[in-house]
Amino acid sequence: MLVTQHPVFRRFWYPVMPIADLTDGPKPFTLLGEPLVLWLTEEGKPAALRDRCCHRSAKLSMGIVQNGCVRCPYHGWAYNESGSCTKVPQLDSGAAIPKTYQVEAFQCAERYGYVWVCLADDPLLPLPEIPEADAPGNRLIPQFYEPWQCSGLRVMENSFDNAHFSIVHAESFGVTEQPKPVKSELVPLELGLKAYATVPVVNPPLQQQLLNIPDSLTVREVESTWYVPFSRTLKITYPNGLLHLIFTAATPVGDRTSQIVQFCIRNDSEADAKAADIIAFDRQVVKEDKVVLESTDYDTPVDVSCEQHMPSDQPGIVMRRQLAALIKAHGPVQEEGRILTEV
C-alpha cells in the first residue's frame, strides 16, 4: 500500500509540526507528497498553503511572515490563510489584484501543541479527542518529533503487537522468560479499533523511580485506541493508580517516510518524576522499535494473504481490512498523475 497513490488518505487529519516551531517564521513540511508552507497568522493561528507561489513557483516557506501573511521570497507577493494574494509590490497603488492570483489552501488547526493539517475539505474523521489531555492536574510532555523510514501502518501494527515485547524490548520492559503474548480484547470501531490487555512487564531501576513502584516485575492495564489511519493512544494504568498515556502518530511524508509525533500525558507532577527522565525511558523503547521497523518493507500490504500471521496479529489484520475497505470505497488509485481503475 503506497499512501500517495490513494486519495482517501488525504481525507484525514495529521499532526505535522509543533506549533512552537512557527514562532520565528514560515516552515516547510511535506504531507503525502504535498509540499506545504506553514505559518502563524496575526491571530496566532496556524495556516497551511501549497508551498509554491502561483507567479513563478518559488517556495513560500523561504519567505517571511508580514502582517499575518506569508510573503514570497522572489517578488514579494503575499498570501493570506485562504491562499488569496493580498499584495503585489509591482502593481500600482490601489490596483485590483486578479482573483486568479491564488495558492491552494488546506484545512489547518492546533491541538495538543501541534499543527494538524487535512488536505481535503471533507475529512472522514474529526481531530482525535483525548479527554486525559484536558483533565485537571494532568500534564502533557512532548517527547519525539522525527522521521522514520517506514510506513505508518507498520508503526500502528507494532503499537498493538504484544508478541514482540520479550524480543525487541528485552533491554527495557520485556519479560524474556515469557515470549508468549497475552491475549487482548479487541473492539473494532467503524473507523478504528480499541484493544484491552493486562501486560506483565519488567521495571528497571529508572522505571521503578518514575512509577514510584519498588517492584522489578509488575503489570500494566493497557487500553489502546487506533485512530484511522496512522494515530494511536496507549493508555497505561499501573497498580498504584499512575496514568501514563502515550499518543503516537506516524504522519505520512511520503510512501517511504513517516514523521513520528509522540507526546505523553501523566497524572503526576515534575516533583514526582522529571519529564527528562520520562522521555529518556520512552526514548529507549522507541529506539528499540525504530531499529526493527525501519528494516521492514515500506510497501505494507493491506491484502492479508500477502504475509503470514499468528493469532496475536489480529489487531493488524483488523487494520489492514479496514484500510483495504476504505481504499476500495473511496476512489481509484492515483499514480504519477494518472488515475488507475483497479485497487
Side-chain angles (χ1 to χ4, degrees):
M1 178 188 71
L2 301 180
V3 290
T4 62
Q5 294 184 11
H6 301 290
V8 67
F9 291 110
R10 297 173 67 92
R11 296 181 62 185
F12 293 94
W13 286 96
Y14 302 97
V16 298
M17 185 176 296
I19 195 165
D21 287 4
L22 300 181
T23 56
D24 60 350
K27 296 292 188 299
F29 189 87
T30 300
L31 177 60
L32 287 164
E34 184 77 63
L36 304 177
V37 56
L38 303 154
W39 80 98
L40 296 178
T41 66
E42 284 189 310
E43 294 77 24
K45 295 181 178 180
L49 301 180
R50 176 172 284 126
D51 196 10
R52 283 286 183 266
C53 180
C54 69
H55 176 223
R56 289 296 182 267
S57 78
K59 290 186 176 182
L60 297 172
S61 58
M62 295 174 59
I64 63 173
V65 176
Q66 195 172 67
N67 299 320
C69 296
V70 63
R71 193 186 77 171
C72 178
Y74 198 178
H75 295 92
W77 291 25
Y79 300 90
N80 62 19
E81 63 270 27
S82 66
S84 298
C85 185
T86 60
K87 184 176 182 179
V88 178
Q90 294 78 18
L91 292 180
D92 293 336
S93 178
I97 298 175
K99 292 183 178 181
T100 55
Y101 289 12
Q102 181 83 22
V103 174
E104 186 174 3
F106 302 102
Q107 292 197 76
C108 193
E110 184 274 334
R111 184 164 293 184
Y112 311 124
Y114 289 86
V115 179
W116 295 65
V117 174
C118 179
L119 297 178
D121 294 331
D122 52 348
L124 294 175
L125 287 176
L127 286 165
E129 292 285 350
I130 306 175
E132 293 81 2
D134 301 318
N138 286 357
R139 54 175 171 154
L140 189 152
I141 304 171
Q143 291 192 312
F144 320 122
Y145 177 74
E146 62 187 25
W148 287 15
Q149 301 308 309
C150 65
S151 76
L153 179 52
R154 295 285 188 199
V155 177
M156 292 297 103
E157 286 188 332
N158 179 76
S159 299
F160 285 73
D161 176 15
N162 292 336
H164 76 285
F165 297 161
S166 63
I167 310 298
V168 175
H169 300 301
E171 298 299 322
S172 54
F173 71 88
V175 182
T176 56
E177 298 80 11
Q178 188 172 324
K180 188 176 180 180
V182 300
K183 292 184 179 180
S184 296
E185 176 190 352
L186 302 184
V187 182
L189 308 175
E190 182 178 358
L191 284 176
L193 172 68
K194 279 189 174 290
Y196 302 88
T198 301
V199 181
V201 296
V202 169
N203 295 316
L206 174 60
Q207 185 70 338
Q208 292 179 43
Q209 177 184 343
L210 297 176
L211 302 177
N212 193 25
I213 295 176
D215 301 320
S216 60
L217 185 64
T218 186
V219 296
R220 297 174 173 180
E221 295 297 331
V222 175
E223 176 186 331
S224 300
T225 304
W226 173 49
Y227 305 93
V228 176
F230 308 125
S231 298
R232 65 100 193 211
T233 52
L234 173 64
K235 183 180 179 180
I236 303 169
T237 306
Y238 290 93
N240 63 356
L242 177 67
L243 167 72
H244 185 84
L245 185 150
I246 299 172
F247 171 88
T248 307
T251 295
V253 174
D255 293 322
R256 297 172 180 261
T257 305
S258 300
Q259 187 75 20
I260 304 301
V261 174
Q262 183 164 308
F263 58 83
C264 77
I265 298 166
R266 288 175 60 111
N267 62 350
D268 60 358
S269 67
E270 183 73 10
D272 298 319
K274 294 181 180 178
D277 291 337
I278 294 168
I279 294 170
F281 180 80
D282 283 353
R283 165 64 76 181
Q284 179 184 354
V285 175
V286 165
K287 281 185 174 180
E288 292 167 348
D289 284 322
K290 181 182 180 183
V291 170
V292 175
L293 290 174
E294 289 194 325
S295 76
T296 63
D297 294 337
Y298 66 88
D299 189 359
T300 311
V302 291
D303 183 344
V304 297
S305 69
C306 292
E307 293 183 336
Q308 302 305 308
H309 311 283
M310 57 183 174
S312 58
D313 293 324
Q314 191 60 33
I317 292 172
V318 171
M319 292 178 184
R320 294 184 186 205
R321 286 175 172 163
Q322 284 201 22
L323 292 179
L326 272 174
I327 290 169
K328 184 175 181 180
H330 291 277
V333 180
Q334 186 171 355
E335 182 179 2
E336 296 179 354
R338 297 182 298 120
I339 298 296
L340 308 182
T341 57
E342 296 182 359
V343 175

